[in-house]
Amino acid sequence: MRSLLEMRPVYVAGIGLHPYQGASETSYVDLGLAAIREALADAGITWAAVQSAYIGNVTIGMAAGPAMLRYLGTTGLAIAQVENASASGSTAFRQAVMEVAGGFCDVALAMGVDKPGGPFSSGPAKAGVRGLVDNRVVPFTHFALLTQLYIDQYGATPEQIAKVAVKNHRNGALNPFAQRRKVRTLEEVMEPPAVSGVLTRLQCTPVGEGAAAAIVMSEDAIARLGVDRSRAIQVIASVARSEEPSGTLNIDVAITRKTVHDAYDQCGMQPSDIDVVELHDAFTIEELLYVQAMGFSEPGNAVADLERGDYDIGGRVAVSPSGGLIAMGHPLGPTGVGQVAEVTRQLRGEAGPRQHQNTRVGLAHMVGVGPVCVVHILKRPG
């Protein structure tokens, strides 16, 4: 597999978000344009400079991208709509990165936008192949079962696992773009009724609406357009994988382990080099499983590392300083691009009260139905 570092250098030069929120009367066009305009302003460029655009969404429907982007001006740019379940935004970002790295364009937009209640349609449900548990195990029950398995395997308690949510709600309270912006005590997080098993409502991501955008550029474009090079964050690894035989009960963990370690190999990094991580924590147990799969904790030690503060802002590695999916929210299409925006903000040193100190390298990780997994590693200049 060819390394991204063997291709043209690629940088995130601009980021923008519309705050994640519950369902509203705001149109997806207004959500998306707010994020794109903020990203353009952040990069200091005009819409006319953008040569290609990838729009990640799940619930809006066909041709949503061109219908939105025309309000910025009809410039003839290439447009593609991307759907890859929860990893739609991450995949849109990867496509933009690859297009610039391959020399097909110099300036690309990656963005995601979604609203709940749209024309969502599940491909697997139409596959014509029945599964043993079709329509019987919904996502929160699946992860409740994995939570119980973790408790049985490692002796963790429900309260210890819930501390993931305490941390992420604390981080989200500092994030003006988060859907949930309130500090929560352990008692509040554990408050019944349970959604499934020991998982409570505040340990599960809210699925709302929002938008996120990133402007990806080559070095030539940065110089030609007069972009501030000191704020341009290099993308040094981009890896996407799908399911393969793993011999494990948890395919998401297996695919995460493989994808993340492929990304490490692609850019010559290892877990100890990573300063900040945005990961797919739709449920509290996922953070514990994924930090182990990524090599930040030994199997069964993630709870102890969490309680010690290793994953706090200011700890060994800041995990989900945005608040993660649990507090930042998970509007599907935008989520992966929003993670890249947070990592970029952290590497620039512009995250304000949630800034993790001395950040040099950051990682963004998403999984999606399939299963699929997409991982990016970014590095600040110097």
Side-chain angles (χ1 to χ4, degrees):
M1 183 181 296
R2 192 176 182 190
S3 166
L4 190 60
L5 293 179
E6 297 175 300
M7 304 168 76
R8 288 204 308 174
V10 181
Y11 300 85
V12 178
I15 54 174
L17 291 99
H18 184 289
Y20 297 177
Q21 60 193 26
S24 75
E25 295 300 316
T26 307
S27 74
Y28 86 88
V29 171
D30 287 334
L31 297 172
L33 293 182
I36 295 169
R37 285 173 173 141
E38 184 177 297
L40 291 170
D42 185 51
I45 65 171
T46 65
W47 176 241
V50 179
Q51 301 162 329
S52 185
Y54 291 90
I55 298 93
N57 65 69
V58 179
T59 64
I60 297 173
M62 183 176 68
M68 172 181 59
L69 298 181
R70 68 192 305 174
Y71 291 101
L72 293 167
T74 50
T75 63
L77 84 168
I79 303 173
Q81 195 157 314
V82 178
E83 187 277 302
N84 206 11
S86 292
S88 295
S90 304
T91 305
F93 180 74
R94 175 174 162 79
Q95 293 303 112
V97 166
M98 291 302 164
E99 185 154 343
V100 173
F104 296 100
C105 78
D106 285 321
V107 183
L109 166 70
M111 68 90 58
V113 60
D114 254 323
K115 288 182 67 69
F120 175 78
S121 180
S122 171
K126 300 175 182 177
V129 180
R130 293 190 61 187
L132 294 176
V133 294
D134 285 354
N135 301 320
R136 292 177 176 85
V137 179
V138 292
F140 49 78
T141 299
H142 170 75
F143 286 101
L145 291 169
L146 290 176
T147 302
Q148 190 59 51
L149 179 62
Y150 194 92
I151 290 170
D152 294 342
Q153 282 183 320
Y154 301 118
T157 67
E159 289 77 13
Q160 288 177 311
I161 292 170
K163 289 179 181 179
V164 170
V166 174
K167 170 181 70 71
N168 291 353
H169 283 281
R170 182 171 65 243
N171 293 349
L174 302 173
N175 186 353
F177 300 103
Q179 185 168 343
R180 290 170 165 170
R181 305 181 202 172
K182 185 176 181 180
V183 174
R184 297 289 188 173
T185 65
L186 180 59
E187 291 72 25
E188 288 176 308
V189 169
M190 292 295 295
E191 186 176 334
V195 174
S196 186
V198 298
L199 289 180
T200 56
R201 182 180 64 86
L202 293 178
Q203 294 183 68
C204 307
T205 182
V207 177
E209 64 184 30
I215 303 293
V216 178
M217 285 191 184
S218 66
E219 289 184 324
D220 289 345
I222 289 173
R224 184 177 72 253
L225 296 171
V227 173
D228 184 351
R229 179 63 182 271
S230 69
R231 298 178 69 247
I233 301 299
Q234 187 174 4
V235 186
I236 59 173
S238 176
V239 180
R241 296 191 67 89
S242 61
E243 180 182 8
E244 60 185 309
S246 62
T248 178
L249 291 172
N250 194 326
I251 300 172
D252 289 339
V253 168
I255 193 174
T256 291
R257 181 180 295 109
K258 179 64 174 172
T259 309
V260 168
H261 283 82
D262 281 355
Y264 291 155
D265 291 343
Q266 191 175 99
C267 60
M269 294 287 172
Q270 54 189 345
S272 59
D273 294 314
I274 307 299
D275 301 303
V276 62
V277 176
E278 286 287 321
L279 55 74
H280 186 286
D281 63 329
F283 304 92
T284 46
I285 189 61
E286 289 191 271
E287 178 171 315
L288 301 176
L289 293 171
Y290 295 147
V291 294
Q292 292 177 177
M294 293 174 182
F296 301 122
S297 288
E298 293 297 320
N301 287 353
V303 163
D305 293 343
L306 171 73
E307 291 185 314
R308 191 166 48 243
D310 285 4
Y311 299 135
D312 288 349
I313 296 170
R316 172 163 55 91
V317 52
V319 177
S320 297
S322 69
L325 277 63
I326 286 173
M328 175 73 174
H330 183 27
L332 299 178
T335 307
V337 184
Q339 290 181 324
V340 169
E342 177 66 18
V343 170
T344 298
R345 209 180 300 276
Q346 289 283 340
L347 296 179
R348 287 174 170 177
E350 297 175 353
R354 64 183 188 283
Q355 179 66 50
H356 185 63
Q357 296 304 307
N358 302 315
T359 54
R360 190 179 70 93
V361 181
L363 184 152
H365 155 270
M366 281 296 291
V367 294
V369 172
V372 296
C373 183
V374 183
V375 170
H376 293 97
I377 298 179
L378 293 80
K379 182 180 179 182
R380 77 179 184 201

